[in-house]
Amino acid sequence: MAATAHKPLIQQPAPKQPSELDQLPDRDPEETAEWGASLEAVTRAAGPHRASYLMRRTLEHAESAGLGLPPLLETDYVNTIPTAAEPSFPGDEDMERRITAWNRWNAAAMVTRGSRDGLGGHIATFASAAWLYETGFQHFFRGKEAGGTSRSKTGGGSGDQLYIQGHASPGIYARAFLDGRLTEAHLDNFRREAGGSGLPSYPHPRRLPWLWEFPTVSMGLGPISAIYQARFNRYLANRGIKDTSASHVWAFLGDGEMDEPESTAALALAGRERLDNLTFVINCNLQRLDGPVRANFKIVQELEAQFRAAGWNVVKALWGSAWDELLGLDTSGALLRRLREVPDAQFQTYATRDAAYIRDHFFGADPQLARLGQGLTDAKLAECFHTSRAGHEPRKVYAAYRAAMEHKGAPTVVLAQTVKGYTLGPGFESRNANHQMKKLTGKEFRAMRDLLELPIPDSALDDKLVPYAHPGADSPELRYLQERRAALGGPAPARTVHPVALPEPSAKPFEALAKGSGSQEIATTMAFVRLVKDLMRDKETGRRWVPIVPDEARTFGMESLFPTAGIYSPLGQTYDPVDRDQLLYYKEAANGQILNEGITEAGSMADFTAAATSYATHGEPMIPFYIFYSMFGWQRTADQMWALADQLGRGFLIGATAGRTTMTGEGLQHADGHSHLIASTNPAAVAYDPAFAYEVGAIVRDGLRRMYGPDAEDVFYYLTVYNETKVQPPMPTGEGIEEGILKGLYRYKSAEPADESAPRIQLLASGTAIHWALDAQKLLADDWGVAADVWSATSWSELRRDALSCDAAQLNGEDRVPYVTRALAGAPGPVLAVSDWMRAVPDQISQWVEQDWHSLGTDGFGLSDTREAARRHFGVDVPAIVVTALNRLARRGEVKPTAAKEAAERYGI
């Protein structure tokens, strides 16, 4: 018979779980036990929710007392600022409602009118965020001429920097129309840019440079750019270049956009450097493009925890004033518990269902909650759940913004809850498809007019073409709007450039490179670093250089800049560096010049963009150079480089350790053979692949002239430099050498005098491949009697652009011949182009070369091996060039047919 198990008469307490606090001596265990017993007593007597409330109050008190406890990562799903604590609203709320109504109408009308021709546009985003913008424009956003805003030597003020959510652009255009900066004709050219006078779909400074400062679509780039812009503002101030203390950076984002990795990549930087000159405003309408952001979860709570953990101040503005009564009736905490547990997709559903559904599904989940709901009318429930969100009420938004501006020591994020498609009617509000809905019907416009109480008669409404509406140039609304903007320093957003040319630096650093390196072998990477180091000593422009490097300064030979220029840190150097006794020690300083960003190419590009556009944002031209492994530039952050072009940035991008075969040992993913091909797709990128140090000098000197001279151009430079040490020759003295360097091609070394009947060939090479071509030139002459001219092709893409420009001119009747065609005119024999890039890079110019064309390149994946083995693998080494040259000549009957085969056997191919 089986034994019967008996439960013990006395239940033993659960064993104590280990805690990290066990490592600390408890000097009063009895007191500790009393605190635990008190908490258990409250739990038994008043319930776990009361105990939780008391604990949170205790933690809040401890934080305010400076006791240094870890902060709570989440708070209840309610407004951070209670109604009783809201500051008084300083404006005319009724007037601002009317202004916002006009903007809502015209934004919807503009997109609807454009949709007649299939142009599209977005309505629902601005509809949800209108008050988030309008409250800022009326009370917070400082214009370029705001009082107290520091002015640069050129007379320009900085104001605030506004990163507008791209999909909300119709609302910004509508406001510019209201204040007279845009006309009806402008609005009717929304997304019609081919004629040259249209409005771009999103914030594009290059397309509308007097209005937009910052491109914010692609999504995710706005957040990281805003963080580094706020950080760069501090950099300018700490280095004594400009007092930016009055400038504030505002970034308007969508909750769905926060899924992009760039959106949150730099949150810790902002918290670590205490950037209280930065505010994120995240429009939490709980919807992304095709549905809920967090269908089964809560995006607001997730974001709150994420930002708090990164050291940000979090202000939640969730519920409108209609919720005040409900929250006041919640004496048991049942409503707060229910608000926390309902997932976002369900709240989206509540916004579209009737009161009966809400009573059943929301209030019916808890008996205490059901009793609370019994005292509420259907109208009250509909108001709360359908439209009453803090993001739709100026008083709530103002309170949140005021709290953000007053908080010191940390950046602030405002999590504002809204309804996507608000005021557009039940067909739009909270619907999953509203992002793709591009127009309203005549009936929907009439309903919108009535809701907004706009004085637009039925006779003015045409179902086929809804009109724009304006209260009049002398209307109270317009006078109020203009007075508020005047008080805040002028229109916003606005981009203003006060042209200022930087003085030309001393010629000595460039002359040093032009002399060559003598017998010393140096890589072109080191040549560039030496050049910039010398330029940073220039009395007039030296302090304007902004070296940017993602934790690879020593790899690129930049450690010599550490003790002289210093590494920027707002805290200075709070420790004794381990290499302090060495000459080139790691020196951080509050006024440091180098931005050493750690392992973040995205952050480094955001740094670069802020510096590259400082001439417009702050009226202070800066000269950034960002040096990086070339593989991790255009391949990894090309989207940011397009945004840089859009923002009209100027500076030098340096792709170091370039080429597919010079970076040995790193393998498939780190071998760059294609960045020049990607760079050639960007119209603002001026890309060069210099072979020699003197070419680097000539290109940088011309770049400074083009980007910072009297007739500054909105371009940026991309230079590839190599880690292969070579003796750097002096600059040739022949005519047209410098012109050829800058245009992209010049004859570097002609063939030695030979019999006039000798076969001839032209070898074009860029970057490190010039050395292979020179060695091949000698072998061809010595072993095969072939005369080869060697040309340095400094820029395949600039040659192509010139040729394309000539083609376009010829269509207009101009007789222009491409430079590459003219340069090679009359050069005997075929042309063989070789580089450390895939063949498509030099092949860009083949159609404008009159001679027979062939190219060699490094197509395919990279591999780890010696340089010699890698070049043999790709067929670009010296023997490969010789064999290919003989093959091309044999095809023309200029060498014997077996020459190429014999050469291959001789050289072991």
Side-chain angles (χ1 to χ4, degrees):
M1 185 173 179
T4 302
H6 297 281
K7 291 183 179 180
L9 296 177
I10 299 176
Q11 187 72 29
Q12 297 295 321
K16 179 178 178 293
Q17 294 297 315
S19 165
E20 64 181 28
L21 297 178
D22 292 339
Q23 300 176 69
L24 305 176
D26 188 346
R27 65 182 185 183
D28 194 341
E30 185 176 348
E31 181 185 35
T32 304
E34 289 174 357
W35 276 75
S38 297
L39 184 62
E40 291 175 0
V42 171
T43 305
R44 288 194 301 269
H49 301 294
R50 176 60 180 170
S52 176
Y53 177 84
L54 291 175
M55 285 298 300
R56 290 178 54 192
R57 278 297 194 188
T58 302
L59 285 173
E60 285 181 355
H61 184 76
E63 185 176 358
S64 64
L67 296 184
L69 292 175
L72 289 172
L73 294 185
E74 282 190 44
T75 60
D76 283 324
Y77 200 63
V78 292
N79 297 346
T80 300
I81 304 169
T83 301
E86 291 175 4
S88 59
F89 188 73
D92 184 333
E93 191 169 351
D94 183 62
M95 182 68 71
E96 292 180 24
R97 286 187 185 281
R98 297 206 300 272
I99 292 171
T100 306
W102 292 111
N103 292 339
R104 288 182 182 277
W105 177 274
N106 288 321
M110 176 176 62
V111 176
T112 298
R113 288 165 71 103
S115 294
R116 293 172 299 157
D117 300 322
L119 292 172
H122 301 286
I123 303 177
T125 294
F126 177 72
S128 69
W131 276 114
L132 302 180
Y133 292 105
E134 194 60 36
T135 304
F137 284 127
Q138 299 289 14
H139 302 287
F140 292 95
F141 304 157
R142 295 161 61 84
K144 296 294 185 182
E145 302 304 323
T149 298
S150 177
R151 303 171 69 83
S152 73
K153 294 178 181 179
T154 60
S158 298
D160 287 351
Q161 288 82 58
L162 308 181
Y163 288 76
I164 305 295
Q165 190 180 2
H167 295 125
S169 62
I172 309 304
Y173 289 140
R175 195 175 208 276
F177 167 67
L178 200 66
D179 71 11
R181 292 199 290 164
L182 293 176
T183 65
E184 287 192 12
H186 285 120
L187 299 191
D188 266 345
N189 278 317
F190 177 57
R191 293 195 172 197
R192 296 177 185 271
E193 297 180 79
S197 60
L199 297 182
S201 53
Y202 300 123
H204 292 307
R206 186 169 284 272
R207 295 297 191 193
L208 202 61
W210 59 269
L211 180 73
W212 300 119
E213 279 195 288
F214 309 106
T216 50
V217 176
S218 299
M219 286 190 287
L221 299 191
I224 193 170
S225 296
I227 289 173
Y228 280 89
Q229 181 66 57
R231 196 280 197 91
F232 189 74
N233 290 358
R234 291 280 172 84
Y235 172 89
L236 288 177
N238 286 338
R239 290 195 54 219
I241 291 174
K242 184 174 185 180
D243 177 7
T244 57
S245 58
S247 289
H248 199 84
V249 178
W250 297 81
F252 288 83
L253 318 167
D255 48 0
E257 181 178 7
M258 299 309 293
D259 284 348
E260 290 283 4
E262 294 91 349
S263 294
T264 56
L267 296 186
L269 168 71
R272 184 169 65 247
E273 298 203 359
R274 303 174 183 175
L275 297 179
D276 51 19
N277 61 338
L278 170 67
T279 297
F280 275 16
V281 180
I282 302 181
N283 178 16
C284 298
N285 56 35
L286 313 185
Q287 290 181 241
R288 53 164 77 108
L289 306 187
D290 290 326
V293 179
R294 293 290 184 271
N296 295 300
F297 306 93
K298 301 185 79 63
I299 185 61
V300 169
Q301 301 299 92
E302 178 182 320
L303 291 174
E304 179 184 28
Q306 198 167 14
F307 278 87
R308 284 183 180 274
W312 287 56
N313 174 47
V314 178
V315 177
K316 292 197 289 191
L318 306 181
W319 306 112
S321 56
W323 281 84
D324 291 346
E325 180 184 349
L326 272 70
L327 292 168
L329 295 172
D330 183 30
T331 58
S332 67
L335 178 59
L336 287 184
R337 293 195 297 275
R338 184 67 175 141
L339 289 175
R340 283 190 65 127
E341 69 188 22
V342 174
D344 284 352
Q346 188 62 49
F347 264 117
Q348 184 186 351
T349 300
Y350 291 146
T352 64
R353 298 300 179 90
D354 59 19
Y357 180 91
I358 295 170
R359 287 184 192 279
D360 185 25
H361 289 81
F362 183 83
F363 289 92
D366 184 297
Q368 290 179 309
L369 203 56
R371 288 192 293 272
L372 186 154
Q374 288 172 0
L376 303 173
T377 66
D378 288 357
K380 183 68 173 180
L381 289 178
E383 180 185 13
C384 289
F385 284 84
H386 289 179
T387 59
S388 185
R389 304 291 188 272
H392 299 321
E393 297 188 12
R395 290 180 178 272
K396 303 289 187 184
V397 176
Y398 179 84
Y401 288 3
R402 177 82 172 270
M405 294 297 293
E406 292 178 349
H407 187 83
K408 301 302 177 185
T412 294
V413 59
V414 175
L415 302 175
Q417 189 167 218
T418 66
V419 173
K420 193 169 185 178
Y422 181 64
T423 74
L424 298 180
F428 273 81
E429 292 176 348
S430 288
R431 301 295 176 178
N432 279 339
N434 58 22
H435 188 79
Q436 282 73 37
M437 298 164 71
K438 311 300 182 185
K439 58 186 176 181
L440 276 70
T441 65
K443 180 180 179 181
E444 288 170 327
F445 268 114
R446 289 181 176 85
M448 182 182 179
R449 173 204 60 186
D450 295 342
L451 177 65
L452 298 177
E453 299 179 345
L454 289 171
I456 304 173
D458 284 342
S459 60
L461 295 178
D462 185 333
D463 285 350
K464 295 182 180 178
L465 190 65
V466 63
Y468 299 116
H470 197 288
D474 296 325
S475 64
E477 291 93 335
L478 197 62
R479 288 199 301 270
Y480 182 92
L481 182 153
Q482 292 173 341
E483 288 171 1
R484 291 305 308 141
R485 288 313 313 160
L488 287 167
R495 182 178 182 274
T496 304
V497 178
H498 299 272
V500 54
L502 294 181
E504 187 175 345
S506 168
K508 289 184 179 179
F510 304 104
E511 293 170 351
L513 290 191
K515 292 178 181 177
S517 64
S519 60
Q520 182 186 13
E521 291 188 343
I522 66 170
T524 50
T525 299
M526 181 55 65
F528 175 82
V529 171
R530 287 182 180 179
L531 173 64
V532 173
K533 185 178 180 181
D534 289 342
L535 291 172
M536 288 170 64
R537 295 192 184 105
D538 187 86
K539 292 181 179 180
E540 296 293 331
T541 60
R543 70 190 188 118
R544 295 191 178 274
W545 284 88
V546 183
I548 303 167
V549 60
D551 199 37
E552 288 285 0
R554 297 184 190 277
T555 300
F556 306 134
M558 292 174 59
E559 64 269 29
S560 61
L561 295 177
F562 288 171
T564 55
I567 299 166
Y568 173 74
S569 170
L571 299 180
Q573 194 151 36
T574 62
Y575 60 92
D576 188 16
V578 67
D579 53 358
R580 184 64 179 86
D581 57 342
Q582 297 180 16
L583 180 63
L584 304 181
Y585 72 97
Y586 196 86
K587 177 186 175 183
E588 296 190 74
N591 65 347
Q593 194 165 356
I594 303 168
L595 292 173
N596 193 352
E597 290 305 346
I599 305 175
T600 168
E601 286 85 6
S604 299
M605 267 308 302
D607 254 341
F608 184 87
T609 301
T613 55
S614 180
Y615 74 93
T617 307
H618 294 294
E620 294 287 349
M622 304 298 286
I623 312 172
F625 78 88
Y626 164 34
I627 189 166
F628 49 88
Y629 278 115
S630 65
M631 189 66 172
F632 298 137
W634 287 93
Q635 173 163 310
R636 192 159 193 165
T637 56
D639 198 12
Q640 288 176 284
M641 292 170 182
W642 275 94
L644 169 70
D646 195 348
Q647 202 169 322
L648 293 81
R650 303 167 184 170
F652 295 95
L653 295 174
I654 310 299
T657 60
R660 186 149 278 159
T661 68
T662 61
M663 181 68 168
T664 56
E666 298 289 340
L668 179 153
Q669 193 175 346
H670 290 194
D672 174 23
H674 52 277
S675 67
H676 271 284
L677 194 62
I678 306 175
S680 70
T681 66
N682 191 309
V686 181
Y688 286 95
D689 185 33
F692 303 117
Y694 68 80
E695 292 179 351
V696 172
I699 293 164
V700 170
R701 193 175 194 178
D702 188 61
L704 291 173
R705 178 192 62 80
R706 288 183 64 182
M707 294 186 290
Y708 300 95
D711 301 311
E713 300 175 48
D714 296 320
V715 296
F716 61 91
Y717 274 54
Y718 175 56
L719 276 69
T720 42
V721 291
Y722 295 83
N723 64 339
E724 194 167 8
T725 57
K726 297 286 184 180
V727 170
Q728 298 297 326
M731 183 173 176
T733 57
E735 183 180 351
I737 296 296
E738 187 165 356
E739 178 191 20
I741 292 172
L742 301 180
K743 286 187 175 295
L745 183 69
Y746 67 98
R747 195 193 318 258
Y748 172 71
K749 186 176 183 181
S750 299
E752 295 293 334
D755 190 311
E756 291 186 0
S757 63
R760 300 294 297 268
I761 190 167
Q762 308 301 313
L763 300 180
L764 277 58
S766 70
T768 196
I770 195 79
H771 303 288
W772 319 336
L774 290 169
D775 289 344
Q777 179 190 50
K778 188 174 188 308
L779 273 186
L780 284 167
D782 293 347
D783 293 357
W784 306 98
V786 172
D789 294 334
V790 175
W791 300 68
S792 179
T794 54
S795 179
W796 307 103
S797 58
E798 286 300 290
L799 292 172
R800 176 178 175 81
R801 283 181 182 166
D802 170 75
L804 290 172
S805 176
C806 290
D807 285 357
Q810 289 173 4
L811 289 175
N812 293 324
E814 297 180 45
D815 186 17
R816 286 173 53 187
V817 179
Y819 174 82
V820 64
T821 307
R822 289 186 283 116
L824 290 170
V831 168
L832 175 59
V834 59
S835 74
D836 208 11
W837 309 98
M838 57 193 301
R839 292 175 62 181
V841 174
D843 285 349
Q844 293 178 88
I845 65 170
S846 61
Q847 70 185 85
W848 295 282
V849 174
E850 295 176 343
Q851 293 87 344
D852 292 341
W853 173 272
H854 192 74
S855 64
L856 296 175
T858 54
D859 291 73
F861 289 116
L863 73 165
S864 295
D865 213 310
T866 64
R867 287 177 181 147
E868 292 74 17
R871 288 163 187 169
R872 174 58 57 91
H873 168 81
F874 285 110
V876 294
D877 60 355
V878 174
I881 296 173
V882 172
V883 170
T884 305
L886 293 173
N887 177 269
R888 304 312 295 179
L889 291 168
R891 287 171 176 263
R892 298 161 56 93
E894 296 180 19
V895 299
K896 59 184 179 180
T898 59
K901 182 179 179 182
E902 292 173 10
E905 292 173 351
R906 178 183 298 190
Y907 305 132
I909 297 180

